[in-house]
Amino acid sequence: MADTSSFDIVSKVDHQEVDNALNQASKELAQRFDFRGTNAQISWAGDEAVTLQADTEDRVKAALDVFKEKLVKRQLSLKSLDAGEPKPSGKGYKIEAKILQGIDSEKAKTISKKIRDEGPKGVQAAIQGDQLRVTAKKKDDLQTVIALLKGSDFDIALQFTNYR
């Protein structure tokens, strides 16, 4: 057995699951009675962005709620969705929402500091691009770090991968 164990902390969203949630929300907007005649639509605006449109501000907010509901049903964290405020656009209103991926350097430093300050002795966190690698001699220490991070709120969705 290797003398050190490790795992990666990432913030990734399954693009296919987001696409499925978007398609379900689109169907619901087309079928629901309270969205009839409001021109409510949801669509991709690039790879990592979604656009919601409707005739009134409250209908575009309701469309966003439908999309959030579909994301939650597919076990996707709402922390990975960054939705803006409704903006007037032509005759209607529009909301731009981004799908957040990766851990930015500031958040990575915050997570690393938390592990250093509150984690078990001998655990190291190394920032590698948009993810962190946590290493320790004992697997129990890694379990403790995972529990510590799950109990903390960093305003991003965290996943723990490559546990070995």
Side-chain angles (χ1 to χ4, degrees):
M1 192 170 118
D3 35 83
T4 61
S5 302
S6 69
F7 70 90
D8 294 334
I9 304 170
V10 297
S11 181
K12 297 208 183 316
V13 178
D14 184 355
H15 191 72
Q16 186 60 50
E17 288 295 332
V18 176
D19 191 47
N20 290 343
L22 184 130
N23 291 333
Q24 287 179 335
S26 182
K27 281 181 187 172
E28 188 166 324
L29 295 179
Q31 293 174 346
R32 268 183 41 184
F33 179 77
D34 57 336
F35 285 108
R36 291 235 169 94
T38 63
N39 295 322
Q41 295 177 334
I42 181 170
S43 60
W44 283 106
D47 259 0
E48 301 297 323
V50 174
T51 303
L52 296 109
Q53 298 173 319
D55 289 344
T56 63
E57 189 174 345
D58 67 312
R59 285 296 88 195
V60 79
K61 284 181 180 175
L64 179 62
D65 288 342
V66 169
F67 182 51
K68 285 180 177 178
E69 180 184 305
K70 299 302 177 192
L71 288 172
V72 169
K73 277 191 179 171
R74 297 199 148 274
Q75 278 86 42
L76 295 170
S77 173
L78 291 181
K79 290 179 182 177
S80 57
L81 180 73
D82 179 23
E85 288 300 311
K87 294 186 180 103
S89 170
K91 291 183 178 174
Y93 284 84
K94 184 187 262 186
I95 292 179
E96 299 286 333
K98 285 193 210 82
I99 308 299
L100 303 175
Q101 301 253 40
I103 302 172
D104 66 20
S105 61
E106 287 304 310
K107 291 265 195 267
K109 287 177 186 171
T110 306
I111 294 168
S112 180
K113 182 171 175 11
K114 177 111 177 155
I115 293 170
R116 250 193 336 271
D117 294 348
E118 298 179 33
K121 295 262 186 276
V123 175
Q124 283 130 1
I127 299 170
Q128 298 178 329
D130 64 349
Q131 66 183 30
L132 276 91
R133 162 95 20 110
V134 180
T135 56
K137 289 200 185 302
K138 294 188 234 157
K139 285 191 174 191
D140 288 347
D141 290 347
L142 294 180
Q143 293 285 356
T144 306
V145 170
I146 290 175
L148 171 73
L149 295 177
K150 281 185 177 178
S152 306
D153 185 18
F154 297 105
D155 288 332
I156 55 173
L158 296 177
Q159 293 89 32
F160 307 100
T161 59
N162 295 335
Y163 186 83
R164 45 187 109 132

